[in-house]
Amino acid sequence: MTELDKIKQLLQFNKFLEAEKLLQKLILNTPQNLEQLMLLAGLYRSIGKFNEAKKTYLRIIELDSAYTVAYRLLIDFLDENELSDIERKIATLISKEISDEKLIDLYFSLGILNEKLKKYKLSSDYFTKANNLKRKITPFNFNNLEKHFQNLKDVFSKLSFEKINYQNQKKIIFIIGLPRSGTSLVESILGSNKNIYRAGEIPNLKKIIRENFVSDGLLDFDKINNKINNKDNSIYDHYINDTNLKNIKENVVTDKNTENFKFLGIINAFFTNSKIINCVRDPFENFCSLYKINFNSSGLNWTNSKKEIFMYHKNYFELIDFWKSKNINNIMDLKFEELLSDSVNTINKLIDFCDLDRNDDYINFHSSNSLIIKTASANQARKPIQKANIYKYKHFKDYFDFN
């Protein structure tokens, strides 16, 4: 294993202090290695060292002015009086012959930049250019996704998911919702308790589904039914003994993989002490937030189409309603707007639902020294809850239509 691979593994297991020391040592020997510098900047973002992140992104741009992803990530940390210089550098790059991938990054960058300048029409134009170009070079077949949703309902509708009372299981709190619906904020609140392990967006459950319940690319009714009828505890065992959870000491774990919403019946049956937090956000606000992000995962390429964002949202809530019709009642709908407007009461309801003891640490989660956020929400989720963010995208109402 190379030193860089070791660092990536440490980051995967949230061992940021060790990873930072190793990265800084590597960079001393190879100070112009952009991959290492990007890892370091991302590490700083995750642990809240925003000044260091900003300096590192600026250093990357200084070393390679065409390293476009650094512009997009840097803009979050710039003050308004710093934006004009970056805007000029981006304009210079766009005037040159660059790849479509780099152009996409720069269009997203200008969308973010002009939003910060309150130039919402210009911002919306750049976000639209970015998403249209990304869709052009990375086509996405939404029909396949709809077939996937239908397969889920066809198979799961024939099954019963009564809770099996296994002994000695840890409590797993599954935080689900559309991306950008407040899941990172909820995990940050719960993770302020030092006795709760924040696992983040781990693939454990999806991996188990694929390895145990799928045949020829489709869910297999008989395989799932046999596991349920046999009250097979191996599902939980595989989940908790995967490498990313195997050695944790905490008895409460948060799992923030938003795709787990597809498998709530499996969770209900095999995870005795599970709790499911379904994060819900105002649709337009959620849609805008999705459309503004250049996601790395090809599985999220539906976010490059306003129509497909709307369709995914529709399929999501149809599946949630389906699960509720199956009498899966360990689900709490947590509304993002209520969390922002009435934070203390909403957080207390969340803590009560999870059968945890109330304390002020949850309310003051943003002050936690151990707060780690690996997603695009790293900046926002570290700030005190602000009511002003409830309808922050209302200025785009005249420019985006998601129907």
Side-chain angles (χ1 to χ4, degrees):
M1 180 185 293
T2 67
E3 284 294 288
L4 199 58
D5 289 335
K6 185 177 179 181
I7 289 166
K8 290 176 180 178
Q9 188 178 71
L10 288 170
L11 292 173
Q12 181 185 352
F13 295 123
N14 295 336
K15 295 181 178 179
F16 283 80
L17 187 59
E18 292 178 54
E20 182 182 0
K21 289 178 180 177
L22 282 177
L23 259 177
Q24 289 175 338
K25 184 178 177 182
L26 271 184
I27 290 167
L28 278 175
N29 296 323
T30 53
Q32 297 187 351
N33 187 302
L34 298 179
E35 181 183 4
Q36 293 170 12
L37 287 169
M38 282 296 292
L39 269 179
L40 184 62
L43 182 153
Y44 286 146
R45 286 179 75 249
S46 295
I47 62 177
K49 291 185 176 181
F50 295 142
N51 284 334
E52 286 84 350
K54 176 181 174 180
K55 290 175 185 176
T56 309
Y57 287 128
L58 286 168
R59 183 177 171 187
I60 291 165
I61 292 169
E62 185 181 342
L63 290 168
D64 182 358
S65 62
Y67 205 92
T68 53
V69 67
Y71 290 90
R72 176 167 53 85
L73 297 169
L74 168 66
I75 290 170
D76 270 345
F77 306 117
L78 296 180
D79 297 326
E80 190 171 324
N81 61 357
E82 298 175 291
L83 295 175
S84 57
D85 181 53
I86 290 297
E87 189 173 20
R88 281 193 297 271
K89 289 179 179 178
I90 292 174
T92 300
L93 273 178
I94 289 177
S95 69
K96 298 178 180 179
E97 194 169 316
I98 58 174
S99 69
D100 285 340
E101 289 80 3
K102 288 182 179 292
L103 199 53
I104 289 165
D105 265 329
L106 295 178
Y107 284 155
F108 272 112
S109 299
L110 288 172
I112 299 164
L113 185 149
N114 281 286
E115 182 186 1
K116 292 189 79 165
L117 293 172
K118 298 182 173 55
K119 297 178 181 179
Y120 300 110
K121 173 64 170 68
L122 190 55
S123 173
S124 67
D125 288 343
Y126 279 118
F127 284 130
T128 299
K129 281 184 177 182
N131 282 290
N132 287 348
L133 182 55
K134 189 170 182 181
R135 173 51 59 93
K136 180 181 175 182
I137 68 171
T138 54
F140 185 81
N141 190 334
F142 197 85
N143 289 334
N144 290 339
L145 196 54
E146 290 205 305
K147 289 176 183 176
H148 172 57
F149 279 115
Q150 191 58 51
N151 174 237
L152 291 172
K153 286 183 276 192
D154 288 345
V155 172
F156 288 142
S157 63
K158 296 180 283 186
L159 291 160
S160 173
F161 295 101
E162 296 298 321
K163 189 174 285 295
I164 304 168
N165 291 316
Y166 298 110
Q167 301 298 311
N168 302 317
Q169 286 193 356
K170 293 178 185 285
K171 178 185 291 182
I172 314 296
I173 302 173
F174 292 93
I175 303 169
I176 62 168
L178 287 176
R180 310 294 295 166
S181 62
T183 55
S184 292
L185 180 56
V186 170
E187 186 177 49
S188 298
I189 291 167
L190 292 171
S192 62
N193 183 334
K194 64 182 180 181
N195 296 314
I196 295 178
Y197 181 78
R198 299 182 302 272
E201 298 180 1
I202 55 174
N204 299 31
L205 185 59
K206 190 175 180 180
K207 181 180 175 184
I208 289 166
I209 300 295
R210 185 173 61 247
E211 292 176 354
N212 291 272
F213 298 143
V214 172
S215 298
D216 299 322
L218 297 172
L219 284 173
D220 188 313
F221 167 82
D222 291 326
K223 287 184 176 181
I224 303 171
N225 197 42
N226 287 339
K227 290 281 189 184
I228 292 173
N229 289 339
N230 293 331
K231 298 183 177 181
D232 192 332
N233 197 30
S234 66
I235 299 302
Y236 170 82
D237 288 340
H238 287 314
Y239 177 93
I240 207 68
N241 289 309
D242 206 335
T243 52
N244 50 24
L245 294 178
K246 189 172 184 178
N247 296 315
I248 67 165
K249 298 175 182 177
E250 294 86 349
N251 287 317
V252 183
V253 177
T254 56
D255 178 337
K256 196 184 74 71
N257 190 318
T258 54
E259 284 208 44
N260 288 337
F261 79 92
K262 299 173 183 177
F263 312 116
L264 299 193
I266 302 294
I267 291 171
N268 194 69
F270 294 105
F271 294 80
T272 299
N273 298 320
S274 64
K275 297 289 184 178
I276 300 165
I277 312 299
N278 179 38
C279 296
V280 181
R281 188 174 184 179
D282 173 85
F284 183 82
E285 293 288 308
N286 203 162
F287 296 171
C288 273
S289 190
L290 288 166
Y291 198 61
K292 290 167 67 268
I293 300 292
N294 187 12
F295 290 103
N296 292 323
S297 170
S298 61
L300 289 172
N301 281 356
W302 51 270
T303 62
N304 301 130
S305 161
K306 292 191 285 289
K307 180 181 177 182
E308 289 174 10
I309 290 173
F310 175 83
M311 292 165 62
Y312 193 95
H313 177 270
K314 178 175 177 287
N315 277 280
Y316 177 92
F317 281 99
E318 284 179 355
L319 196 56
I320 293 295
D321 288 341
F322 165 79
W323 289 124
K324 290 179 179 178
S325 75
K326 300 288 284 185
N327 296 319
I328 296 173
N329 54 18
N330 59 335
I331 305 174
M332 175 187 180
D333 291 332
L334 191 149
K335 295 183 179 178
F336 182 75
E337 289 72 29
E338 290 181 2
L339 183 56
L340 268 58
S341 63
D342 187 14
S343 57
V344 174
N345 285 331
T346 306
I347 289 172
N348 283 334
K349 288 178 184 176
L350 168 66
I351 301 311
D352 292 345
F353 174 77
C354 293
D355 297 324
L356 301 168
D357 294 329
R358 294 185 185 184
N359 66 58
D360 289 341
D361 289 344
Y362 296 116
I363 309 298
N364 301 313
F365 69 94
H366 56 277
S367 302
S368 171
N369 292 327
S370 61
L371 185 56
I372 295 169
I373 305 165
K374 298 180 182 179
T375 66
S377 305
N379 197 355
Q380 301 96 312
R382 285 187 171 278
K383 297 175 181 177
I385 290 175
Q386 301 173 13
K387 292 182 181 181
N389 287 331
I390 294 178
Y391 296 111
K392 63 186 294 186
Y393 300 127
K394 61 185 178 183
H395 303 289
F396 289 101
K397 284 271 188 182
D398 293 335
Y399 312 118
F400 289 145
D401 182 2
F402 291 94
N403 293 318

